[in-house]
Amino acid sequence: MKDSSGSLARAVRHGANPLLTPNGAVASSPGLKIDGVLNCGVTRFKDEILLLCRVAESAPSDGSVARIPLIQKDSGSTVIVSLVKSDHPEYCFEDPRVVTRRGAKSPAVEYLTSLSHLRIARSHDGVSFKLDDKPAVWPVPPYEAFGMEDPRITNIDGCYYINYTASSPAGCATALMKTTDFVSFERLGLIFLPENKDVCIFPQKINGKYYALNRPVPNAIGSPDMWISESPDLVHWGRHQHIHSASNGRVGGGAVPFLTERGWVAIYHWADASDRYCLGAMLLDANDPSEVIAISTTPLLEPVELYETQGYFSNVVFTCGCLYENGIVTIYYGAADDKICRADVAIEDVYALLDA
Amino acid sequence: MKDSSGSLARAVRHGANPLLTPNGAVASSPGLKIDGVLNCGVTRFKDEILLLCRVAESAPSDGSVARIPLIQKDSGSTVIVSLVKSDHPEYCFEDPRVVTRRGAKSPAVEYLTSLSHLRIARSHDGVSFKLDDKPAVWPVPPYEAFGMEDPRITNIDGCYYINYTASSPAGCATALMKTTDFVSFERLGLIFLPENKDVCIFPQKINGKYYALNRPVPNAIGSPDMWISESPDLVHWGRHQHIHSASNGRVGGGAVPFLTERGWVAIYHWADASDRYCLGAMLLDANDPSEVIAISTTPLLEPVELYETQGYFSNVVFTCGCLYENGIVTIYYGAADDKICRADVAIEDVYALLDA
């Protein structure tokens, strides 16, 4: 379907964007400030739409000192590691998100500058959201010492499986937990070893097996590509298959895939060498999601609006979840790594993008 | 136990070393030559000791051209890619094992210079081995396009599970296959995503679960450390736990662990920044192998003999398997990445090293 200008229709941003920002959000402790309310899993639960948001917090500093919040391994307490920048010529403080070691061969990230936890925002209309004042889930060491990021929610028969990036000095792995009430959460361990993010678990068994998209980052050979893995139980994964390479930059799963008459639709992201993140759509075979039927080459959404091009980390649109109801895909997405926004697209327009 | 000089006893090399070399081995096709017969899994099978060897082959060249053997994705045929070195200033040809891309951020390996397959060597006395003239298992694309390396054999109730590094443009992953006769082999897919090598599967369930040591190589955060993972069925793996960091360089599983009165003993390797590989021992709890009881800080074996310090890649001792019989650990190991050798050590001497 093309619009009146003849262009392919894209996702339409909601007029109320951004729906959630750090403004007015309550920090988890007096010593921390909220840098971002971003990348959220989404689900309907009872009579509400819930967003499980990544809330990124940092410790205020005067600029000459980097103050790094993290979870202490033994106590599980939040501590702040202070680095006087002039004392550490071995570190680079230029990227707002990380402290890296100068001159190191990869891996080079020593610290994340912010510590993320997961927090619920609730809405009846899918537009007006109220962010809880307290965390829903707080990171636990050792594998979450640097935080919990980018949750995806997969509803399987009323049990909500939540995978998220577990960041720690041991690397960025993917962890799984489950809940039935969004009050208590049971951790099920790491499901993908570091380095592996952008995991999307399909919401039902396909030919007797669960599937998950994932994005390992190899070191010696290979590139940050999309793979798909199988599981009998959601906890143990194998029979990994490579399904998509980024032609340039990197690519990864976004929203939890949903089933359509044409097959599984997955809204995914790619980033170019300048770290500009866009969203696209891919279509996977209904009976064998390792078969990629089509991938959009035109972005479904790209950073254009001011709230996407300016923020904690600029030029980013990044999704962890959508709703697919009545032929409309409602995408909730992180904008510039500090806000949550919404865009809607008719499934026919997604098909048109895939057919283009 | 200390020897007469007061030093800790180490593994004792066999006088017949090296037991296997490329000399006299028959290449898999006329266009290839054998560069190495190395890193082998080991098991008793019927009345023989079998080594499942990595056989590395390359395409002869005059030095101005790099000739890269690999498996073509679509046909499955072995093809030779020729790179006239002067035509490719973007590549570095200095490391004999790989062609790397100059100035690239990691990952930087474009090709492996040799193509490895798996081949059986047989012996009645564990010393005099006859290498088969034909491959036992030949690489299959896409995940083995750059070869199959470093097999480990785990005998579980008479079924022999063989994991190995599956190398391809998509990365270095770990694949699993099984056999009951060492004639036909059933592939069970990739069990660990790239980048992950040095996988050792324990030979029995422990508290109802299979376990495997493995060594992911993260990119942004973390280092090449040892992890342990759980499985219900050997094919799907989860509940990954980090168990050991190298203080400097990297570390990885070696021989398949064996159970002793003190717990699981694993002969593992570490490599320093100059790529010198040594063997050590670690002791893991009998009922929970994620619990590391002790790790040797003194090498059990380090490259000293000429056949270890000189070869295809010098200063390497590297094991994929041992036999533990009558209180003696018989370690078969790759020497300088082109030969197979043997060293023996009494379990009491391993304990002494672990206690030191």
Side-chain angles (χ1 to χ4, degrees), chain A residues 27-152:
Chain A
S28 65
S29 72
L32 297 176
K33 69 177 175 64
I34 295 183
D35 288 334
V37 179
L38 64 160
N39 310 342
C40 56
V42 56
T43 190
R44 280 194 180 274
F45 181 69
K46 297 184 177 169
D47 60 345
E48 293 181 311
I49 293 173
L50 296 191
L51 304 182
L52 186 63
C53 308
R54 171 180 170 190
V55 172
E57 298 180 305
S58 68
S61 137
D62 67 3
S64 65
V65 179
R67 300 180 67 229
I68 315 287
L70 50 77
I71 309 291
Q72 202 166 42
K73 186 173 176 186
D74 296 321
S75 68
S77 306
T78 308
V79 296
I80 293 173
V81 173
S82 290
L83 301 171
V84 176
K85 293 181 182 176
S86 58
D87 289 347
H88 293 282
E90 76 276 22
Y91 291 148
C92 174
F93 298 93
E94 282 163 23
D95 187 323
R97 302 169 300 177
V98 291
V99 176
T100 56
R101 182 171 286 274
R102 288 183 198 278
K105 289 202 298 189
S106 177
V109 174
E110 288 287 315
Y111 295 103
L112 304 185
T113 53
S114 62
L115 176 69
S116 293
H117 65 269
L118 306 184
R119 199 182 292 198
I120 295 171
R122 304 159 196 275
S123 174
H124 287 285
D125 62 7
V127 177
S128 176
F129 281 90
K130 173 78 180 72
L131 184 69
D132 286 359
D133 287 343
K134 300 282 183 192
V137 199
W138 188 252
V140 169
Y143 302 116
E144 301 164 5
F146 288 172
M148 313 168 75
E149 301 169 5
D150 303 352
R152 275 84 171 176

Side-chain angles (χ1 to χ4, degrees), chain A residues 188-206:
Chain A
L188 300 169
L190 296 184
I191 56 172
F192 291 101
L193 286 149
E195 182 169 339
N196 202 328
K197 298 184 181 185
D198 298 329
V199 170
C200 299
I201 298 174
F202 288 67
Q204 64 189 56
K205 280 190 172 179
I206 303 161

Side-chain angles (χ1 to χ4, degrees), chain B:
Chain B
M1 190 180 300
K2 301 197 174 187
D3 66 17
S4 57
S5 72
S7 310
L8 286 164
R10 309 279 186 95
V12 177
R13 290 169 179 81
H14 201 282
N17 280 352
L19 305 185
L20 285 163
T21 76
N23 290 339
V26 179
S28 64
S29 73
L32 296 176
K33 70 177 175 65
I34 295 183
D35 288 333
V37 180
L38 65 160
N39 310 343
C40 57
V42 55
T43 189
R44 282 194 180 274
F45 180 69
K46 296 183 178 170
D47 61 344
E48 291 181 314
I49 293 172
L50 295 192
L51 304 183
L52 187 62
C53 309
R54 170 180 170 188
V55 173
E57 298 180 305
S58 67
S61 137
D62 65 4
S64 65
V65 179
R67 300 180 67 231
I68 314 286
L70 50 78
I71 308 293
Q72 203 167 40
K73 186 174 176 186
D74 296 321
S75 67
S77 306
T78 308
V79 297
I80 293 173
V81 173
S82 291
L83 301 171
V84 176
K85 292 181 184 177
S86 58
D87 289 347
H88 293 282
E90 75 277 24
Y91 290 149
C92 173
F93 298 93
E94 283 164 22
D95 187 323
R97 303 169 299 179
V98 291
V99 176
T100 56
R101 182 171 287 274
R102 289 184 199 276
K105 288 202 299 188
S106 177
V109 173
E110 288 287 317
Y111 295 104
L112 304 185
T113 53
S114 62
L115 176 68
S116 292
H117 66 268
L118 306 185
R119 199 184 292 200
I120 294 170
R122 306 161 195 275
S123 174
H124 287 285
D125 62 6
V127 176
S128 175
F129 281 89
K130 174 77 179 73
L131 184 70
D132 286 0
D133 286 344
K134 300 282 182 193
V137 199
W138 188 254
V140 169
Y143 302 116
E144 301 164 5
F146 288 172
M148 314 168 73
E149 303 170 4
D150 304 351
R152 276 83 172 177
I153 304 171
T154 301
N155 177 1
I156 299 178
D157 302 328
C159 185
Y160 300 83
Y161 289 86
I162 298 159
N163 64 266
Y164 56 96
T165 304
S167 293
S168 80
C172 296
T174 293
L176 183 67
M177 59 186 183
K178 67 179 180 180
T179 185
T180 53
D181 57 12
F182 286 91
V183 175
S184 65
F185 298 83
E186 180 188 349
R187 280 178 167 81
L188 301 169
L190 297 185
I191 55 173
F192 291 100
L193 287 149
E195 181 167 340
N196 203 328
K197 298 184 180 186
D198 299 329
V199 171
C200 298
I201 298 174
F202 288 68
Q204 64 189 56
K205 279 190 172 179
I206 302 161
N207 289 323
K209 295 170 288 195
Y210 293 111
Y211 284 85
L213 302 174
N214 61 96
R215 205 280 306 273
V217 182
N219 204 283
I221 307 180
S223 48
D225 294 342
M226 287 179 72
W227 291 64
I228 195 165
S229 305
E230 300 179 10
S231 175
D233 57 10
L234 299 162
V235 173
H236 306 88
W237 296 85
R239 295 193 186 272
H240 311 291
Q241 295 182 72
H242 180 274
I243 61 167
H244 180 57
S245 280
S247 54
N248 181 21
R250 56 194 186 280
V251 66
V256 171
F258 53 91
L259 191 58
T260 71
E261 59 188 7
R262 288 215 192 171
W264 292 98
V265 171
I267 311 296
Y268 76 105
H269 71 264
W270 70 85
D272 63 18
S274 66
D275 272 339
R276 183 173 185 268
Y277 282 74
C278 295
L279 299 183
M282 55 199 306
L283 184 65
L284 309 172
D285 187 89
N287 294 308
D288 177 5
S290 72
E291 280 294 315
V292 179
I293 300 171
I295 298 185
S296 70
T297 51
T298 315
L300 185 65
L301 193 74
E302 58 189 323
V304 170
E305 296 293 329
L306 202 62
Y307 51 79
E308 297 160 347
T309 59
Q310 292 189 17
Y312 184 75
F313 195 81
S314 299
N315 293 310
V316 173
V317 294
F318 187 98
T319 186
C320 295
C322 66
L323 298 174
Y324 175 51
E325 296 173 346
N326 306 314
I328 303 293
V329 188
T330 298
I331 302 167
Y332 291 94
Y333 66 96
D337 265 11
D338 58 5
K339 317 165 201 80
I340 290 173
C341 296
R342 168 179 166 167
D344 292 69
V345 60
I347 193 66
E348 284 76 15
D349 290 332
V350 175
Y351 294 155
L353 209 65
L354 289 163
D355 292 340

